[in-house]
mmCIF file of all heavy atoms in Angstrom:
data_model
loop_
_atom_site.group_PDB
_atom_site.id
_atom_site.type_symbol
_atom_site.label_atom_id
_atom_site.label_comp_id
_atom_site.label_asym_id
_atom_site.label_seq_id
_atom_site.Cartn_x
_atom_site.Cartn_y
_atom_site.Cartn_z
ATOM 1 N N ASP A 11 -9.095 13.147 -14.684
ATOM 2 C CA ASP A 11 -10.205 12.250 -14.557
ATOM 3 C C ASP A 11 -11.494 12.993 -14.897
ATOM 4 O O ASP A 11 -11.708 14.193 -14.746
ATOM 5 C CB ASP A 11 -10.288 11.791 -13.071
ATOM 6 C CG ASP A 11 -11.428 10.825 -12.832
ATOM 7 O OD1 ASP A 11 -11.227 9.612 -13.190
ATOM 8 O OD2 ASP A 11 -12.376 11.212 -12.217
ATOM 9 N N SER A 25 -18.626 30.910 -14.386
ATOM 10 C CA SER A 25 -17.892 32.050 -14.385
ATOM 11 C C SER A 25 -18.028 32.963 -15.628
ATOM 12 O O SER A 25 -18.132 34.123 -15.545
ATOM 13 C CB SER A 25 -16.419 31.789 -13.939
ATOM 14 O OG SER A 25 -15.749 31.254 -15.088
ATOM 15 N N ASN A 30 -20.948 38.058 -17.998
ATOM 16 C CA ASN A 30 -21.667 38.743 -19.059
ATOM 17 C C ASN A 30 -22.705 39.699 -18.417
ATOM 18 O O ASN A 30 -23.329 39.287 -17.365
ATOM 19 C CB ASN A 30 -22.326 37.652 -19.930
ATOM 20 C CG ASN A 30 -23.014 38.342 -21.143
ATOM 21 O OD1 ASN A 30 -24.160 38.692 -21.073
ATOM 22 N ND2 ASN A 30 -22.336 38.335 -22.302
ATOM 23 N N PHE A 47 -23.832 21.346 -21.715
ATOM 24 C CA PHE A 47 -24.212 20.258 -22.643
ATOM 25 C C PHE A 47 -23.716 20.536 -24.016
ATOM 26 O O PHE A 47 -23.177 19.584 -24.641
ATOM 27 C CB PHE A 47 -25.743 20.144 -22.603
ATOM 28 C CG PHE A 47 -26.238 19.204 -23.680
ATOM 29 C CD1 PHE A 47 -26.321 17.833 -23.560
ATOM 30 C CD2 PHE A 47 -26.671 19.714 -24.884
ATOM 31 C CE1 PHE A 47 -26.720 17.036 -24.569
ATOM 32 C CE2 PHE A 47 -27.172 18.912 -25.935
ATOM 33 C CZ PHE A 47 -27.224 17.544 -25.776
ATOM 34 N N CYS A 50 -20.060 19.931 -24.258
ATOM 35 C CA CYS A 50 -19.693 18.458 -24.242
ATOM 36 C C CYS A 50 -20.089 17.835 -25.560
ATOM 37 O O CYS A 50 -19.625 16.669 -25.747
ATOM 38 C CB CYS A 50 -20.450 17.781 -23.130
ATOM 39 S SG CYS A 50 -19.897 18.267 -21.545
ATOM 40 N N PRO A 52 -19.942 18.797 -29.306
ATOM 41 C CA PRO A 52 -19.674 19.722 -30.315
ATOM 42 C C PRO A 52 -20.504 19.610 -31.667
ATOM 43 O O PRO A 52 -20.850 20.587 -32.236
ATOM 44 C CB PRO A 52 -18.141 19.471 -30.646
ATOM 45 C CG PRO A 52 -17.685 18.439 -29.741
ATOM 46 C CD PRO A 52 -18.828 17.990 -28.898
ATOM 47 N N ASN A 53 -20.957 18.340 -31.957
ATOM 48 C CA ASN A 53 -21.816 18.213 -33.152
ATOM 49 C C ASN A 53 -23.147 18.888 -32.953
ATOM 50 O O ASN A 53 -23.685 19.468 -33.841
ATOM 51 C CB ASN A 53 -22.077 16.720 -33.386
ATOM 52 C CG ASN A 53 -20.716 15.992 -33.762
ATOM 53 O OD1 ASN A 53 -19.802 16.605 -34.218
ATOM 54 N ND2 ASN A 53 -20.674 14.727 -33.531
ATOM 55 N N ASN A 79 -28.804 11.417 -28.430
ATOM 56 C CA ASN A 79 -30.120 10.925 -28.035
ATOM 57 C C ASN A 79 -30.969 12.123 -27.470
ATOM 58 O O ASN A 79 -31.674 12.089 -26.543
ATOM 59 C CB ASN A 79 -29.996 9.828 -26.874
ATOM 60 C CG ASN A 79 -29.319 10.337 -25.684
ATOM 61 O OD1 ASN A 79 -28.704 11.422 -25.727
ATOM 62 N ND2 ASN A 79 -29.213 9.576 -24.654
ATOM 63 N N SER A 84 -32.375 13.717 -23.452
ATOM 64 C CA SER A 84 -31.074 13.810 -22.786
ATOM 65 C C SER A 84 -30.724 15.313 -22.423
ATOM 66 O O SER A 84 -30.023 15.671 -21.575
ATOM 67 C CB SER A 84 -29.916 13.214 -23.592
ATOM 68 O OG SER A 84 -29.724 13.992 -24.792
ATOM 69 N N PRO A 121 -12.060 31.065 -12.117
ATOM 70 C CA PRO A 121 -10.925 30.122 -12.420
ATOM 71 C C PRO A 121 -9.851 30.910 -13.227
ATOM 72 O O PRO A 121 -10.137 31.889 -13.927
ATOM 73 C CB PRO A 121 -11.554 29.035 -13.300
ATOM 74 C CG PRO A 121 -12.833 29.762 -13.809
ATOM 75 C CD PRO A 121 -13.255 30.763 -12.811
ATOM 76 N N ILE A 123 -8.412 31.501 -16.233
ATOM 77 C CA ILE A 123 -8.789 31.211 -17.734
ATOM 78 C C ILE A 123 -7.743 31.394 -18.721
ATOM 79 O O ILE A 123 -7.609 30.685 -19.701
ATOM 80 C CB ILE A 123 -10.048 32.078 -17.984
ATOM 81 C CG1 ILE A 123 -11.200 31.530 -17.237
ATOM 82 C CG2 ILE A 123 -10.368 31.952 -19.506
ATOM 83 C CD1 ILE A 123 -12.559 32.252 -17.448
ATOM 84 N N VAL A 129 -9.512 25.663 -21.884
ATOM 85 C CA VAL A 129 -10.379 26.630 -21.309
ATOM 86 C C VAL A 129 -10.507 27.820 -22.369
ATOM 87 O O VAL A 129 -11.627 28.337 -22.490
ATOM 88 C CB VAL A 129 -9.828 27.141 -19.977
ATOM 89 C CG1 VAL A 129 -10.669 28.287 -19.511
ATOM 90 C CG2 VAL A 129 -9.764 26.076 -18.967
ATOM 91 N N HIS A 151 -34.135 24.870 -26.524
ATOM 92 C CA HIS A 151 -34.257 23.352 -26.747
ATOM 93 C C HIS A 151 -34.891 23.092 -28.099
ATOM 94 O O HIS A 151 -34.610 22.145 -28.791
ATOM 95 C CB HIS A 151 -35.022 22.766 -25.673
ATOM 96 C CG HIS A 151 -34.377 22.765 -24.347
ATOM 97 N ND1 HIS A 151 -34.985 22.300 -23.170
ATOM 98 C CD2 HIS A 151 -33.089 23.011 -23.972
ATOM 99 C CE1 HIS A 151 -34.061 22.402 -22.169
ATOM 100 N NE2 HIS A 151 -32.908 22.845 -22.614
ATOM 101 N N ASN A 159 -33.583 17.272 -36.176
ATOM 102 C CA ASN A 159 -34.619 16.623 -37.006
ATOM 103 C C ASN A 159 -34.449 17.051 -38.533
ATOM 104 O O ASN A 159 -35.157 16.565 -39.329
ATOM 105 C CB ASN A 159 -36.025 16.906 -36.628
ATOM 106 C CG ASN A 159 -36.330 16.126 -35.269
ATOM 107 O OD1 ASN A 159 -35.755 15.195 -34.954
ATOM 108 N ND2 ASN A 159 -37.166 16.719 -34.428
ATOM 109 N N GLY A 160 -33.529 17.989 -38.758
ATOM 110 C CA GLY A 160 -33.261 18.355 -40.093
ATOM 111 C C GLY A 160 -34.341 19.377 -40.647
ATOM 112 O O GLY A 160 -34.388 19.601 -41.911
#
Side-chain angles (χ1 to χ4, degrees):
D11 186 73
S25 72
N30 186 274
F47 171 81
C50 294
N53 294 336
N79 58 353
S84 68
I123 290 180
V129 176
H151 290 174
N159 289 331

